[in-house]
Amino acid sequence: MEALKKPQLIDKLCGWCGGCGHGIIQRLICEVIEELGIQDKVIHCCDIGCCFWAVDGIDTDCISGPHGRVPAVATGVKKVRPENIVFIYAGDGASYTIGMAETTHLVMRDLPVTMIVVNNGAFGMTGGQMSVGTTLIGQKTASTPKGRKQEYNGEPADMLAAYSTFDVEFLARGALYNVREINNTKALIKKGFQNQMEGKGLSLIEVLSPCPTTWHLSPIEANKRIEEEVTKMFPVKVYKDRGGRK
């Protein structure tokens, strides 16, 4: 049996909480980059938040920017370095709340980059506050201690469904709650990088990720919650696959 080894691109320990999905996603990204042989061409555009630990953990060229504005940063990077493979790593709060305008503009431009959005339904690094775009109705957070209420906070939105109305290359959502879904998520991420290598438009892959710390659940309970509750609002599927046609 072949021994499993960590990707060489992961060169340091990161500070994510136990049971967090970020570490799994980081490994999938690094596995894909190494399998595609693009280590020396990658530029990682990392947002602020829990995802920022990846700056320490992934040994590639990297640039960051203000919270939620990394899609704009990545746009500039790709415009001046079109020969490079540019990927964005950001949370749902950054992508669909604080930085919704920047993400939307990236989709409208159909820029040939790869964006990976980690959806854990909260602002994890700052204490688990409500994320307008993804926190479910009834979910208790640091800023909605009695649960999110539609009349006060509005409702979450499936942004991939909204973005599918645009002429964009690839939109998909994966999850991490079992091995099958982890493997499927890796395939989605790999396709996102391959699309860019082939000169196609934007690939946005969202990943449903557990946050046991801010959800006040065990890792097993957190993954069960995603499978049984979160996927009802945010289905795991491919929303759009244009196949390079415009």
Side-chain angles (χ1 to χ4, degrees), residues 192-219:
F193 278 100
Q194 289 172 323
N195 283 342
Q196 186 174 173
M197 294 169 68
E198 295 169 7
K200 298 177 182 179
L202 172 69
S203 295
L204 195 165
I205 299 98
E206 180 186 309
V207 184
L208 301 180
S209 176
C211 186
T213 298
T214 65
W215 294 357
H216 304 290
L217 298 172
S218 71

Side-chain angles (χ1 to χ4, degrees), residues 3-13 23 26-28 30-31 34 57-59:
L4 294 177
K5 299 179 181 179
K6 76 171 183 64
Q8 292 183 351
L9 285 177
I10 298 178
D11 64 346
K12 293 181 182 177
L13 293 174
Q26 177 196 35
R27 181 184 180 104
L28 297 181
C30 291
E31 286 179 351
E34 292 183 4
I58 301 179
D59 186 21

Side-chain angles (χ1 to χ4, degrees), residues 50-242:
C50 293
C51 58
F52 196 69
W53 286 110
V55 172
D56 292 331
I58 301 179
D59 186 21
T60 63
D61 288 335
C62 182
I63 186 171
S64 189
H67 188 37
R69 275 62 184 178
V70 170
V73 173
T75 298
V77 172
K78 188 66 176 181
K79 291 292 186 180
V80 300
R81 299 294 295 272
E83 71 280 6
N84 284 92
I85 303 298
V86 177
F87 82 91
I88 301 163
Y89 189 52
D92 54 313
S95 303
Y96 303 148
T97 300
I98 290 176
M100 182 183 288
E102 283 73 15
T103 302
T104 302
H105 291 162
L106 187 73
V107 174
M108 292 172 68
R109 293 188 181 102
D110 190 28
L111 193 72
V113 301
T114 306
M115 183 170 183
I116 299 163
V117 176
V118 182
N119 179 354
N120 59 19
F123 284 90
M125 180 169 276
T126 54
Q129 295 85 356
M130 181 191 75
S131 173
V132 173
T134 56
T135 298
L136 300 183
I137 296 295
Q139 182 176 336
K140 295 181 179 180
T141 72
S143 54
T144 57
K146 294 184 179 180
R148 178 175 186 166
K149 297 182 179 180
Q150 189 277 337
E151 60 268 31
Y152 293 123
N153 313 115
E155 295 194 15
D158 186 342
M159 294 307 300
L160 294 188
Y163 290 147
S164 67
T165 64
F166 291 80
D167 187 11
V168 63
E169 182 63 40
F170 185 69
L171 303 169
R173 180 179 293 115
L176 307 172
Y177 55 78
N178 60 33
V179 174
R180 181 186 64 189
E181 295 301 333
I182 290 173
N183 289 336
N184 176 63
T185 297
K186 179 178 178 179
L188 297 175
I189 292 172
K190 192 167 191 175
K191 182 173 179 62
F193 278 100
Q194 289 172 323
N195 283 342
Q196 186 174 173
M197 294 169 68
E198 295 169 7
K200 298 177 182 179
L202 172 69
S203 295
L204 195 165
I205 299 98
E206 180 186 309
V207 184
L208 301 180
S209 176
C211 186
T213 298
T214 65
W215 294 357
H216 304 290
L217 298 172
S218 71
I220 292 176
E221 291 170 334
N223 278 299
K224 184 177 180 180
R225 176 178 181 266
I226 291 175
E227 182 177 10
E228 297 181 355
E229 298 180 35
V230 179
T231 55
K232 292 178 181 178
M233 176 68 203
F234 301 111
V236 175
K237 66 177 185 176
V238 173
Y239 283 72
K240 194 157 192 176
D241 186 0
R242 193 176 59 203

